[in-house]
Amino acid sequence: MGPTETGSGSSAVAELAEASRSGDRRATARLLSLVERGGPQADEVASATHFHVGGAHVVGVTGAPGSGKSTITNSLTTLLAEAGRRPAVLAVDPSSPLTGGAILGDRVRMNGAAEAGVFIRSMATRGHAGGLALAVPGAVRVLDAAGFDPVIIETVGVGQVEVDVTDAADTTVVVVAPGWGDAVQANKAGLLEVADLFVVNKADRPGADDARRDLDLMLDLSTITGRVGGERPSVTMTTATEGDGIAELAEAVVGHLGRLSDGEELAQRRERRRLAEVRAHLGHLLEGAGEEVLATEASKATNPAESPMMVARRLAAGLLG
Amino acid sequence: MDGSRSTLSGIPLEPVYGEGPFPGEYPYTRGVHADMYRSRLWTMRMFAGFGTATDTNGRFRELLRSGSTGLSTAFDMPTLMGRDSDHPWSLGEVGRAGVAVDSVEDMADLFAEIDLGGVSTSMTINGPAAILLAMYVVVAEQGGVERGRLAGTLQNDILKEYQAQKEYIFPPRPSVRLVTDVIRFTATEMPRWNPVSVSGYHIREAGSTAVQELAFTLANGFAYVEAAVAAGLPVDIFAPRLSFFFNSHVDFFEEIGKFRAARRIWARWLRDRYGATDERSLKLRFHTQTAGVSLTAQQPETNIARVALQALAGVLGGTQSLHTDSHDEALALPSEAAARTALRTQQVIAHETGVTGVADPLGGSAYVEWMTDEVERRAEEVFAHLDEIGGGSILEGVYEGIQSGWFMGEIAESAYRFEREVNAGDRIVVGVNAFTEGNGSTGTDLLRVGQETEDDQLARLTAVRAGRDSDAVATALGRVAAEAADPDLNLMPSLIEAVEARATVGEIVEVLEGVFGTYVETAVV
Amino acid sequence: MVGTGLPIRVVLAKLGLDGHDRGLKVVARMLRDAGMEVVYLGLRQTTGSILNAVEQEDADVVGISMHNAGHLTLGPRIVSALADAGLDVPVVIGGIVPDVDLAELEAAGVAAVLGPGAPVDEVVSTVRAVAGHDGSD
């Protein structure tokens, strides 16, 4: 099993896409594998799913390790599934930089969601040619085309992964837990800028009120614009293990999409998302083409009169015609 | 002439040699009694349990006949998890790895024809421990033995379940409340009972190092002390009845150092941090079991040698009670013959080797004393960390370490490091990565528990349910729920009432889950 | 080559009630360090939850750890449940399995059995062999 046996023709991909749209979860899973793998088959998947997207609400959930993202995602999607929605989760975890392997452990905390019928897929950050900036939008498109809505992307709140993910989401939820100065960390990590909604999880623990105060203070002092109507992100208190605050969070998430759609904001965000994906593809294509001409160049004799920069300009000119 | 007072050559022996503080003197590094095994051998306590209560009862009586001096009960997985034999999770697990107990009727069968006033009984159970203790009390009193005369130990150590063995049911805080309820109950009504056996055994089996085993276990012990004090009990009322349970692994001197350091640390902390003044509060008494995880499926007879050496380390470390593993345990539940050999191993150490003649025979050895100090120093670093993350409370530090996955991460890292060392050949495991000639087919004479046991047990459970007064059950369960919701009440009386009414383990646990919630772990891989 | 191509995806789970997850965690790390992607389900999974994960994760192999002496009941059950669901994914069982049970498990369709203390090379090569590709693609 696995993508190697899925056939190579575009008709095979088209068949999978068709099956996926009609609710065949195994077909959806196969398409996701093809997207993860990158290359020509991923392009075929993109073509086969592009015209079937239904505008699913894409929600990014991020936060520091141990903040309770998975538990929140579990409770939130379980609640939405029970309310008749068809949520899917894309749980992104880092790969080992040394071996390329990964331990994807998010499902451990998502037994409830799995039982409620939520589609959960774990994805490692490496192993995808072109990186997450390509793989995540591709995977979201597959899930959207299969009729899942909302699509939740869950990631560890660090570095580039996060930026790639917020680029792919309509609504970004940042989870912090009391203690260890998470609110301060969130600020440092630039999460204040990307968050549409904040969650203080583990609200039953000492320090939860302090965390909330810290957050409120930072949000009040911040001068970031560009949110819906310039609104200040809301802060929801949850105890995800007990299910406390999850209904409020669901309301806030759904409400955020509503406010985005009321004006031009949703269209603008999705246009930005589209351009971000185009940029990622473009970068990937240029890099690939660059490697090719570089390989040809390497086989030629060096011209001592030409500086490296001059070589690059010559090659780029050739590439761009 | 008493063999333990002189050598085979007839050289007379003093009870102890070397420098003070001597055994029986603070901080008890050298032992909790002045003459140790001269006056009283350790308890040879063999863990047993499989199939139905009647099956295990037969094994118990056989062990008592062959010279075992205490009983130790292994429950099956459904019982350990607080589920009845007819719960969907229980399918294929009833009576397989221990004895199935659903109701007080099973408990009565388990101890049929055994004088509960005359034996000491250990029960290895944690999540539903309070319920099983209630059953034991009811069975004893129905047989005419008052609860005050009962001697034994309830493992009842829930903290290490979150850290290592993972047989938890409720979240940590309500679970610790159940532990303190048992401590309070036994302190007043069962003076010969050890309400908690603070257990490092499972932490070690899960892959920790000796230092982690020691440090996490003692930290859990401090946590229970803090919890019981917070529940209003003076430390000297309950601390004398806290006991410990350690693993004895293959690194001989490290293990001995660990046992000696354990006594010294406990004595100091109880006196200096928790203000205990009764010297019985300061004396750490412990049960030892040889390391199941060190047993190999390859050439299983080799395990007899491992077990003997590990048992010897436990004895030289001053254990109060000892279980020796059967050599076939890497393959299946111990067979009767293998269990007997394991008991014989203890008897050889006790009666032939002469190591019982002198208390703490290794005391004063430069290496052993250094190892004891070093293990203690490293454990103190762990306590300092927990104290810090707990804001000056070890109990809160332990909760935090559980919630954040710190303990689990530390243990998993140690387990993986060990495996890598074995794989790289840096560590020799005889029969596994060296000396493998003779590795052959195994498992021709193993104890098996079949599907019939499950069917029998289900029939018994159905009969118990049919034969009881269901109104009385409902009333008793209602009282359990109401009293669970009030943390100031002790749940033991209502649990006793419920098991008397023939409420099952699974029914009571379900009611408690309704109040306490169900724990979902923070998995750390 | 690291980080490209198609890593083997392995679902790892414990079937049954016992909490002995040391072996499963060690194996998870071994497979990660061999460049595989391990979807770790953890303790107390059911046949249903494992099937669900194998399907959604498009797994190449499923590894089940058992220490409850129930392998002869639960092993064949998971194999037939996967087959009934049309999931042609090899099952590797890890844990305490006596040699005398191996033939029965093999006959029931279990792809491989790894005993306690199986060395890393054996674990990795077994998973690669049953996965049908070595991950380098």
Side-chain angles (χ1 to χ4, degrees):
Chain A
M1 167 115 26
T4 41
E5 293 170 25
T6 323
S8 53
S10 57
S11 65
V13 170
E15 275 169 33
L16 279 177
E18 170 103 35
S20 170
R21 278 199 302 282
S22 63
D24 179 343
R25 291 186 166 212
R26 194 161 324 150
T28 309
R30 293 270 177 88
L31 290 173
L32 290 171
S33 295
L34 294 177
V35 167
E36 282 194 281
R37 187 181 182 184
Q41 284 193 309
D43 295 345
E44 284 175 32
V45 175
S47 308
T49 50
H50 179 69
F51 295 105
H52 298 280
V53 295
H57 184 195
V58 182
V59 181
V61 176
T62 188
S67 57
K69 298 174 301 294
S70 301
T71 312
I72 285 192
T73 303
N74 177 58
S75 311
L76 180 65
T77 52
T78 304
L79 187 135
L80 291 169
E82 282 165 357
R85 303 281 300 267
R86 292 190 65 211
V89 176
L90 201 58
V92 184
D93 272 325
S95 299
S96 155
L98 291 177
T99 67
I103 295 177
L104 310 168
D106 292 307
R107 289 189 88 99
V108 171
R109 281 174 293 269
M110 295 197 190
N111 281 326
E115 275 171 35
V118 176
F119 186 100
I120 303 163
R121 177 60 175 243
S122 313
M123 191 186 238
T125 49
R126 298 285 173 98
H128 315 305
L132 277 185
L134 288 182
V136 168
V140 166
R141 193 177 298 107
V142 167
L143 292 167
D144 185 348
F148 291 105
D149 181 23
V151 175
I152 314 274
I153 313 166
E154 190 209 309
T155 53
V156 170
V158 281
Q160 183 59 34
V161 173
E162 184 116 75
V163 174
D164 289 346
V165 167
T166 51
D167 274 351
D170 300 318
T171 302
T172 298
V173 179
V174 173
V175 182
V176 300
W180 297 319
D182 263 13
V184 180
Q185 290 301 329
N187 191 17
K188 277 194 200 151
L191 293 180
L192 227 48
E193 282 82 354
V194 299
D196 297 301
L197 304 168
F198 275 99
V199 173
V200 176
N201 191 32
K202 306 186 181 181
D204 58 334
R205 289 172 58 191
D209 291 335
D210 297 341
R212 179 177 191 138
R213 238 193 330 272
D214 290 351
L215 262 182
D216 280 336
L217 190 66
M218 277 187 265
L219 291 170
D220 290 343
L221 293 175
S222 102
T223 52
I224 297 151
T225 54
R227 293 195 176 86
V228 190
E231 78 178 27
R232 176 183 174 287
S234 69
V235 178
T236 308
M237 307 290 280
T238 61
T239 306
T241 48
E242 309 289 323
D244 294 346
I246 298 300
E248 291 83 342
L249 176 61
E251 231 169 81
V253 168
V254 173
H256 182 256
L257 180 71
R259 288 195 302 285
L260 286 176
S261 335
D262 284 347
E264 295 297 300
E265 183 77 17
L266 185 64
Q268 285 168 9
R269 281 192 182 206
R270 290 192 170 173
E271 177 59 12
R272 278 206 299 272
R273 240 166 77 185
R274 195 181 68 84
L275 289 175
E277 195 184 345
V278 170
R279 180 181 299 115
H281 277 290
L282 187 62
H284 181 56
L285 290 173
L286 288 176
E287 200 179 311
E291 288 297 332
E292 270 175 40
V293 294
L294 202 57
T296 318
E297 184 67 16
S299 65
K300 292 182 190 163
T302 307
N303 175 4
E306 208 178 17
S307 77
M309 170 57 94
M310 289 162 73
V311 178
R313 281 187 189 284
R314 173 169 55 75
L315 295 177
L319 269 181
L320 300 172
Chain B
M1 194 170 184
D2 185 338
S4 69
R5 305 289 159 99
S6 69
T7 68
L8 281 179
S9 311
I11 303 171
L13 294 173
E14 296 293 327
V16 67
Y17 292 91
E19 312 274 311
F22 291 107
E25 294 175 6
Y26 182 88
Y28 313 104
T29 314
R30 302 196 62 190
V32 292
H33 303 301
D35 53 3
M36 288 301 291
Y37 304 126
R38 266 197 185 201
S39 53
R40 191 178 160 205
L41 283 175
W42 61 90
T43 303
M44 298 180 192
R45 194 187 288 284
M46 302 299 286
F47 195 43
F50 63 97
T52 63
T54 306
D55 297 332
T56 300
N57 177 260
R59 175 67 70 88
F60 277 170
R61 288 194 282 148
E62 159 66 21
L63 282 168
L64 290 172
R65 271 195 300 276
S66 51
S68 212
T69 48
L71 298 175
S72 178
T73 318
F75 295 98
D76 71 356
M77 282 309 312
T79 308
L80 292 172
M81 292 299 296
R83 309 293 153 177
D84 286 340
S85 297
D86 59 354
H87 189 280
W89 275 2
S90 306
L91 192 67
E93 308 233 22
V94 176
R96 300 264 180 175
V99 59
V101 172
D102 290 316
S103 75
V104 72
E105 304 272 349
D106 297 326
M107 193 65 111
D109 291 346
L110 184 57
F111 293 102
E113 294 175 56
I114 293 170
D115 173 20
L116 295 186
V119 293
S120 87
T121 302
S122 155
M123 287 189 274
T124 299
I125 191 142
N126 299 281
I131 301 167
L132 276 289
L133 178 65
M135 287 182 176
Y136 191 75
V137 167
V138 168
V139 166
E141 296 195 336
Q142 283 173 353
V145 179
E146 289 161 24
R147 59 183 73 164
R149 286 175 55 208
L150 295 174
T153 302
L154 194 64
Q155 191 163 86
N156 199 27
D157 170 15
I158 199 66
L159 292 172
K160 62 95 171 56
E161 295 299 336
Y162 303 106
Q163 296 157 346
Q165 189 170 237
K166 314 294 174 72
E167 289 160 12
Y168 41 69
I169 302 173
F170 319 113
R173 288 171 197 269
S175 292
V176 168
R177 177 252 174 123
L178 277 172
V179 174
T180 52
D181 279 0
V182 170
I183 293 174
R184 254 196 298 180
F185 176 79
T186 56
T188 53
E189 308 212 15
M190 300 176 74
R192 300 177 64 210
W193 195 271
N194 299 316
V196 185
S197 170
V198 191
S199 303
Y201 185 81
H202 319 82
I203 293 171
R204 192 64 177 283
E205 291 286 296
S208 82
T209 63
V211 169
Q212 288 167 335
E213 177 198 354
L214 175 71
F216 297 174
T217 309
L218 291 181
N220 291 345
F222 302 147
Y224 295 126
V225 168
E226 291 180 12
V229 167
L233 282 169
V235 65
D236 282 324
I237 295 293
F238 66 87
R241 301 287 339 165
L242 294 180
S243 64
F244 287 80
F245 172 18
F246 290 114
N247 198 306
S248 191
H249 215 285
V250 289
D251 194 333
F252 194 72
F253 289 103
E254 186 178 53
E255 293 305 296
I256 294 167
K258 178 186 78 181
F259 299 130
R260 300 174 93 247
R263 279 189 295 268
R264 184 154 77 207
I265 294 167
W266 184 253
R268 285 198 178 139
W269 274 68
L270 265 283
R271 188 187 73 175
D272 300 342
R273 172 132 170 179
Y274 300 115
T277 53
D278 186 335
E279 73 165 13
R280 294 174 309 146
S281 301
L282 312 182
K283 289 181 176 177
L284 178 145
R285 296 164 302 124
F286 67 101
H287 171 67
T288 302
Q289 181 171 337
T290 57
V293 76
S294 74
L295 302 180
T296 61
Q298 297 87 346
Q299 304 185 50
E301 300 76 14
T302 315
N303 293 326
I304 297 174
R306 292 192 180 94
V307 167
L309 291 166
Q310 294 168 6
L312 182 61
V315 169
L316 294 175
T319 194
Q320 275 61 59
S321 127
L322 181 61
H323 168 100
T324 32
D325 287 330
S326 301
H327 63 270
D328 56 359
E329 280 182 54
L331 305 169
L333 286 175
S335 65
E336 200 158 316
R340 189 179 311 113
T341 302
L343 176 60
R344 296 286 177 261
T345 303
Q346 294 198 38
Q347 289 160 339
V348 168
I349 294 171
H351 302 292
E352 296 185 10
T353 64
V355 298
T356 57
V358 171
D360 191 33
L362 297 181
S365 147
Y367 178 40
V368 169
E369 296 298 346
W370 174 84
M371 181 62 82
T372 306
D373 294 347
E374 183 61 16
V375 169
E376 178 184 22
R377 188 185 65 73
R378 289 169 182 247
E380 288 287 351
E381 290 176 0
V382 174
F383 306 143
H385 172 71
L386 291 171
D387 211 18
E388 189 190 331
I389 64 174
S393 153
I394 297 287
L395 176 62
E396 289 300 326
V398 169
Y399 284 144
E400 182 56 47
I402 288 167
Q403 190 141 21
S404 66
W406 181 77
F407 290 107
M408 296 76 111
E410 293 282 296
I411 294 169
E413 188 56 43
S414 298
Y416 188 46
R417 200 183 58 219
F418 178 82
E419 291 294 339
R420 277 198 316 238
E421 287 171 5
V422 171
N423 274 303
D426 296 340
R427 221 166 253 288
I428 297 289
V429 181
V430 174
V432 173
N433 63 357
F435 316 112
T436 52
E437 304 80 18
N439 285 5
S441 180
T442 54
T444 47
D445 187 23
L446 302 171
L447 175 67
R448 301 248 175 203
V449 177
Q451 188 60 35
E452 320 79 66
T453 299
E454 189 153 334
D455 300 339
D456 286 356
Q457 186 62 21
L458 289 174
R460 291 153 64 91
L461 176 58
T462 308
V464 168
R465 289 224 179 93
R468 64 188 185 179
D469 175 350
S470 53
D471 290 344
V473 173
T475 308
L477 289 176
R479 183 180 163 202
V480 170
E483 300 198 352
D486 182 348
D488 292 332
L489 292 175
N490 193 322
L491 269 171
M492 282 306 296
S494 67
L495 292 177
I496 288 174
E497 185 184 299
V499 302
E500 267 178 330
R502 305 293 187 266
T504 62
V505 173
E507 289 162 351
I508 297 171
V509 162
E510 210 165 279
V511 163
L512 291 175
E513 277 183 306
V515 181
F516 294 156
T518 307
Y519 183 69
V520 181
E521 82 164 341
T522 307
V524 175
V525 184
Chain C
M1 193 166 151
V2 166
T4 61
L6 189 61
I8 295 174
R9 285 173 73 85
V10 186
V11 164
L12 287 186
K14 268 201 74 82
L15 196 55
L17 283 174
D18 71 281
H20 300 110
D21 56 4
R22 170 191 178 140
L24 195 66
K25 287 181 173 179
V26 167
V27 166
R29 288 171 176 225
M30 285 177 176
L31 299 182
R32 175 198 62 192
D33 290 352
M36 301 187 201
E37 290 183 359
V38 176
V39 179
Y40 187 84
L41 304 188
L43 297 172
R44 298 185 187 106
Q45 297 301 308
T46 60
T47 303
S49 66
I50 292 169
L51 246 58
N52 208 13
V54 167
E55 177 173 274
Q56 295 176 1
E57 300 291 352
D58 197 18
D60 300 302
V61 179
V62 54
I64 310 284
S65 163
M66 276 186 258
H67 288 82
N68 57 359
H71 50 270
L72 289 182
T73 310
L74 298 170
R77 187 177 299 155
I78 186 98
V79 171
S80 62
L82 283 164
D84 290 350
L87 289 162
D88 178 24
V89 181
V91 175
V92 179
I93 287 181
I96 299 178
V97 177
D99 289 354
V100 290
D101 293 349
L102 294 179
E104 191 173 335
L105 289 176
E106 196 182 321
V110 171
V113 174
L114 292 167
V120 64
D121 294 345
E122 185 188 344
V123 171
V124 170
S125 64
T126 300
V127 172
R128 284 198 177 132
V130 303
H133 70 107
D134 66 3
S136 60
D137 193 39

